[in-house]
Amino acid sequence: STQSTWDFQIMKEITGRVISGLTLGAIAITCFLNDILTALMIELILALSLIEYEGLLKSILLKIVAKEGAELETKYANQSFSKGIIAIQLIVPLMVALNRMDLLLHSIIVAVLGIITYRMIKYWTFISNCKVEETANPSRMLLMIVLSIAFDLLGFCYFIVGFTYGYLILKKSFALMFVGWLAAWQGDNGGLLFGRLFGKHHMSPWISPKKTYEGAAGAVVLSVATMLLCYLIEDVPYCNLIIPHIDLMNYIFLGIIGSVFAVVGDLVESLIKRGAETKDSSNLLGRLGGMLDRVDSLCASFPAIYF
């Protein structure tokens, strides 16, 4: 009975992932029919992801200063969430949407400098508005501002730059972007299925207790198998609209890098969530977690697929 319950939970979770993936994929394909809808969808996905990421940052900072006598540091951590930081970062995918590739590198530099400058100004404003009798440990406050900037830059490089590469792939070829997404998505599903069925050797129990080497191998197997299926049906009428015409070795390579980097992306987000001591980035998608939980693997795999 316990085995039956466990098997039912596995199938329920996999079914939920498949339904959510197909639903989001259908929405994405519909939006991709129009450049404006595509830009709005990508900006929305990234905005929601960054909102969740800033929430995780706030939780991490609060846990760092969760000690007696750190009232001012706690007050700063509670005010760490910033819509301005999110707006600054969204400039980068906007340049891709406007087809201003000549300004893409400039927008990245502006975003990085903007993040640092915004955090410093906000820190100075916070200190200036503090009451005279309020005191803080200088080293802890310095740590707070350094960690805030570091986490913001990590989120920018990982989520914004990573997803922007997916946007660049889309600009080149919708079919290539589709199979890239498919490789990462099937890697997620393969990792879950094989990990639950055969997982015994844990990759990093502290970061993610459920991640196993068997699951990672399963991610590669299912992703490569899916790419082989794409290769077999690429000449079927109408399939060439969403499946690129590339050789067998490129399909196998695509499956490997898509799944491997999907696992890496999942581990990176798991590390961040571990620091915030939470299971999901949010409850935006109910039992499936937040938007960040759905795009973490893509943000790592898209740059690898692009290059």
Side-chain angles (χ1 to χ4, degrees), residues 42-265:
I42 291 176
E43 292 282 349
L44 178 61
I45 290 174
L46 289 174
L48 291 174
S49 299
L50 288 175
I51 289 172
E52 293 174 355
Y53 183 77
E54 287 291 315
L56 294 175
L57 169 60
K58 177 181 175 180
S59 298
I60 292 173
L61 292 179
L62 284 172
K63 285 175 174 54
I64 291 176
V65 298
K67 57 180 68 177
E68 187 177 353
E71 291 85 1
L72 195 61
E73 291 88 340
T74 302
K75 183 179 178 181
Y76 175 80
N78 276 315
Q79 297 180 16
S80 62
F81 184 92
S82 176
K83 295 179 181 178
I85 290 291
I86 296 173
I88 291 171
Q89 297 180 65
L90 292 177
I91 294 174
V92 177
L94 180 62
M95 292 300 103
V96 180
L98 296 175
N99 289 315
R100 294 304 306 267
M101 305 305 174
D102 57 317
L103 297 178
L104 186 57
L105 178 60
H106 297 80
S107 66
I108 293 175
I109 295 174
V110 168
V112 170
L113 294 178
I115 288 171
I116 298 173
T117 303
Y118 190 93
R119 281 295 180 192
M120 293 302 296
I121 292 175
K122 189 168 184 178
Y123 173 72
W124 178 258
T125 303
F126 173 79
I127 293 297
S128 300
N129 292 333
C130 289
K131 298 178 182 178
V132 177
E133 61 270 18
E134 291 181 311
T135 57
N137 184 304
S139 60
R140 276 207 302 260
M141 287 303 295
L142 177 61
L143 177 64
M144 296 285 283
I145 184 62
V146 170
L147 284 177
S148 297
I149 294 175
F151 272 107
D152 282 331
L153 292 177
L154 171 64
F156 172 73
C157 293
Y158 184 52
F159 299 111
I160 296 295
V161 176
F163 213 81
T164 297
Y165 274 111
Y167 202 175
L168 291 173
I169 295 172
L170 174 62
K171 288 284 186 177
K172 288 186 174 182
S173 168
F174 170 78
L176 182 58
M177 191 281 304
F178 175 76
V179 294
W181 164 79
L182 192 60
W185 181 51
Q186 287 295 74
D188 269 349
N189 292 331
L192 173 65
L193 179 62
F194 280 69
R196 291 292 182 89
L197 293 177
F198 311 110
K200 293 182 179 179
H201 302 88
H202 295 279
M203 298 179 68
S204 182
W206 183 82
I207 296 177
S208 184
K210 295 182 179 180
K211 295 289 188 303
T212 63
Y213 287 104
E214 291 82 0
V220 176
V221 169
L222 186 58
S223 184
V224 171
T226 303
M227 293 300 99
L228 291 177
L229 178 61
C230 289
Y231 173 74
L232 293 175
I233 65 173
E234 66 178 5
D235 291 324
V236 174
Y238 301 108
C239 285
N240 61 338
L241 296 176
I242 59 173
I243 298 177
H245 196 279
I246 55 180
D247 60 51
L248 178 60
M249 290 307 299
N250 277 328
Y251 265 117
I252 294 175
F253 185 63
L254 190 61
I256 293 173
I257 63 173
S259 56
V260 169
F261 279 91
V263 172
V264 172

Side-chain angles (χ1 to χ4, degrees), residues 25-46:
I27 295 173
I29 291 174
T30 302
C31 291
F32 291 154
L33 298 176
N34 182 279
D35 289 341
I36 296 178
L37 290 178
T38 300
L40 290 175
M41 182 195 67
I42 291 176
E43 292 282 349
L44 178 61
I45 290 174
L46 289 174

